[in-house]
């Protein structure tokens, strides 16, 4: 029964600080609306190939939420090593899931269980770029969701074609994380180690470093780590930011490629650079807007960086899987590098030299693949929830 105050209760399950931009605008729009009561529930993640939760990241998540003045409750008790039953916190009208992967959390926080007690909503935590249909969409979590919010009409059509049973739950609202671009840009450069740097370059490697040829292999981290260390030393007027995929360091340990000490050594070496840092926080879109270029093989950023208008260089290789039609068209509009020499050429010619000869190509794909309602995706999602549940 609806409580006497008539408010709609919404709970956001948050699993890692790097993914907070997915939920930030929806949370903010609902919190500002007197017709909603919102809450945040923090839970840890079990990384791929790991057997236990990542407590280090869980602590970073709780610290991040506290620093952002976001009230939250803990779904996992570090002292006892036990998950806290979600019904302890009451039953909301709708729960926003962070990711669709059941193996990354307790069964109690998955769609299989929660669908019996409340409505469930989800959106892609990354953009629809890869061509792995199983991982991208057709996971059991989607079958338990009442609302599946899509980033664009082309992305909706891809999912509806692959999983027609979900078609009536698909709503095109644009990706909430891109609402960050609707805010006025900040002149505060506190996120950067060298605010006086002449240029700022973000390097974003994917986590799939293992040579196992799974259907999800993109990362060239080991191939180019030493290059970026050397480039930072040779170019003191450029700040380099390593933005790792949230799974990168945990995955190389869980997959048996590196020890935990060796994985931490990568972080420490990059952070020790006077013009370099490893950034794993939740304000990456602020960094995007203040940067000059993105070099990556972490594929969801292919679309998420696009609204900046700044150059993008994809680190291509024979080991990476083909992307879906949206992803491949994006790649055709970007710069690409197959080795360190081509990365160097991109930095010297396009970034430092300012010869961005592919700008018109990026503008063309931006008009085609970026959908953003006038009031933002967060407002569109809030309005849809209100209409459906009122």
């Amino acid at each position: 029964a609806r409580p006497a105050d008539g408010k709609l209760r919404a709970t956001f399950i948050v699993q890692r600080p790097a993914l907070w931009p997915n939920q930030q605008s929806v949370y903010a729009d609902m919190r500002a609306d007197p017709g909603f009561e919102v809450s945040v529930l923090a839970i840890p993640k079990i990384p791929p190939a790991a057997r236990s939760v990542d407590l280090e990241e869980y602590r970073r998540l709780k610290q991040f939420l506290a620093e952002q003045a976001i009230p939250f409750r803990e779904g996992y008790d570090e002292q006892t090593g036990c998950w806290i039953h979600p019904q302890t916190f009451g039953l909301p009208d709708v729960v926003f899931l962070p990711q669709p992967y059941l193996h990354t959390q307790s069964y109690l926080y998955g769609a299989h269980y929660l669908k019996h007690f409340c409505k469930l909503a989800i959106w892609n935590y990354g953009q629809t770029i890869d061509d792995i249909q199983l991982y991208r969409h057709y996971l059991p979590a989607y079958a338990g969701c009442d609302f599946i919010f899509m980033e664009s009409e082309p992305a909706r059509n891809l999912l509806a074609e692959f999983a027609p049973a979900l078609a009536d739950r698909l709503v095109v609202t644009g990706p909430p994380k891109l609402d960050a671009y609707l805010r006025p840009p900040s002149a505060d450069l506190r996120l950067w180690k060298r605010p006086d740097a002449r240029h700022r370059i973000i390097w974003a490697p994917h986590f799939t470093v293992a040579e196992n040829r799974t259907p999800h292999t993109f990362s060239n981290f080991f191939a180019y780590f030493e290059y970026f260390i050397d480039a930072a030393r040779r170019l003191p007027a450029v700040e380099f930011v390593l933005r790792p995929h949230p799974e990168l360091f945990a995955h190389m340990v869980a997959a048996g490629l590196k020890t935990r000490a060796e994985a931490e050594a990568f972080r420490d070496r990059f952070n020790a650079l006077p013009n370099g840092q490893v950034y794993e926080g939740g304000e990456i879109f602020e960094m995007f807007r203040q940067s000059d270029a993105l070099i990556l093989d972490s594929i969801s950023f292919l679309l998420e960086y696009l609204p900046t208008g700044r150059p993008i260089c994809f680190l291509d290789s024979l080991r990476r899987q083909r992307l879906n039609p949206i992803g491949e068209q994006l790649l055709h509009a970007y710069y690409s590098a197959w080795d360190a020499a081509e990365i160097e050429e991109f930095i010297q010619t396009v970034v430092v030299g300012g010869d961005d000869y592919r700008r018109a190509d990026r503008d063309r794909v931006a008009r085609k693949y970026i959908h953003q309602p006038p009031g933002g995706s967060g407002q569109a999602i809030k309005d849809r929830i209100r209409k459906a549940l009122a």
Side-chain angles (χ1 to χ4, degrees):
R2 180 81 61 221
D5 60 12
K7 291 185 177 183
L8 293 171
R9 264 80 175 167
T11 294
F12 294 80
I13 298 178
V14 185
Q15 209 170 13
R16 52 194 349 168
L19 294 184
W20 175 245
N22 291 320
Q23 299 161 305
Q24 184 176 11
S25 69
V26 187
Y27 168 82
D29 283 333
M30 285 188 170
R31 192 175 185 188
D33 189 324
F36 283 87
E37 181 180 296
V38 298
S39 61
V40 169
L41 191 53
I43 65 171
K45 179 164 183 174
I46 304 171
R51 296 180 179 179
S52 57
V53 300
D54 187 341
L55 289 179
E56 181 182 344
E57 186 183 47
Y58 185 46
R59 291 164 190 151
R60 288 204 308 270
L61 169 62
K62 292 187 287 185
Q63 180 181 355
F64 168 77
L65 293 173
E67 290 172 350
Q68 297 294 314
I70 299 169
F72 68 93
R73 294 172 292 191
E74 298 181 27
Y76 183 86
D77 187 334
E78 288 191 53
Q79 299 299 319
T80 62
C82 293
W83 295 83
I84 300 172
H85 200 293
Q87 290 192 39
T88 304
F89 309 110
L91 297 175
D93 297 286
V94 61
V95 167
F96 291 93
L97 301 176
Q99 289 183 303
Y101 310 123
L102 293 175
H103 62 277
T104 69
Q105 62 211 18
S106 166
Y107 182 86
L108 297 172
Y109 287 90
H112 280 73
Y113 184 74
L114 292 176
K115 70 179 182 181
H116 297 293
F117 308 104
C118 54
K119 302 290 186 182
L120 298 180
I122 196 168
W123 47 76
N124 289 332
Y125 64 94
Q127 307 311 302
T128 308
I129 300 294
D130 61 62
D131 199 31
I132 309 162
Q133 294 175 332
L134 173 63
Y135 291 159
R136 180 176 28 139
H137 291 309
Y138 206 64
L139 289 163
Y142 286 96
C145 290
D146 303 272
F147 309 97
I148 305 173
F149 297 109
M150 304 298 299
E151 63 263 37
S152 67
E153 200 64 42
R156 183 198 181 282
N157 294 340
L158 279 175
L159 177 50
E161 179 181 355
F162 180 71
L166 301 178
D168 61 344
R169 311 179 205 179
L170 308 181
V171 186
V172 177
T173 58
K177 60 173 63 175
L178 295 194
D179 285 352
Y181 292 114
L182 299 177
R183 299 192 296 268
S186 172
D188 186 353
L189 300 176
R190 62 185 172 77
L191 296 174
W192 302 88
K193 180 182 282 189
R194 285 280 309 278
D196 61 335
R198 189 171 304 167
H199 302 285
R200 303 182 182 94
I201 297 175
I202 298 174
W203 170 38
H206 200 246
F207 77 92
T208 48
V209 290
E211 292 287 354
N212 53 8
R213 296 301 298 171
T214 68
H216 196 57
T217 304
F218 298 97
S219 183
N220 301 283
F221 175 78
F222 294 140
Y224 294 126
F225 180 81
E226 294 297 338
Y227 165 79
F228 281 102
I229 291 283
D230 177 66
R233 289 170 176 163
R234 288 186 292 102
L235 301 169
V238 179
E239 177 167 346
F240 288 86
V241 171
L242 167 56
R243 169 59 173 204
H245 186 287
E247 308 283 6
L248 175 62
F249 295 114
H251 184 72
M252 66 177 68
V253 175
L257 298 177
K258 302 291 179 182
T259 65
R260 187 168 296 279
E262 289 170 335
E264 286 301 314
F266 285 115
R267 270 199 189 98
D268 294 341
R269 284 187 65 198
F270 214 93
N271 276 324
L273 294 165
N275 58 329
Q277 63 165 306
V278 180
Y279 182 74
E280 299 175 86
E283 297 181 83
I284 188 59
F285 282 87
E286 197 61 51
M287 273 195 155
F288 280 176
R289 302 180 81 179
Q290 297 172 343
S291 66
D292 296 292
L294 175 68
I295 301 173
L296 78 164
D297 49 41
S298 196
I299 57 176
S300 66
F301 284 170
L302 286 171
L303 192 61
E304 292 165 9
Y305 190 81
L306 184 57
T308 67
R310 299 186 178 95
I312 301 169
C313 180
F314 183 70
L315 301 179
D316 216 332
S317 67
L318 294 176
R319 69 194 298 273
R320 71 104 169 163
Q321 273 63 55
R322 183 172 177 82
L323 305 180
N324 67 27
I326 297 173
E328 292 296 331
Q329 287 192 45
L330 290 174
L331 289 187
H332 286 306
Y334 299 162
Y335 302 95
S336 64
W338 288 80
D339 54 37
E342 293 184 346
I343 302 175
E344 185 76 14
E345 181 181 358
F346 170 76
I347 292 175
Q348 295 293 349
T349 302
V350 181
V351 183
V352 177
D355 184 14
D356 185 8
Y357 54 89
R358 306 220 66 178
R359 176 63 189 264
D361 296 328
R362 296 198 306 277
D363 290 345
R364 173 179 50 81
V365 294
R367 289 191 297 269
K368 184 174 183 179
Y369 292 119
I370 293 180
H371 171 83
Q372 203 162 35
S377 301
Q379 180 176 305
I381 290 170
K382 181 197 73 172
D383 292 345
R384 176 69 180 204
I385 295 292
R386 184 204 302 278
K387 181 178 179 180
L389 299 187

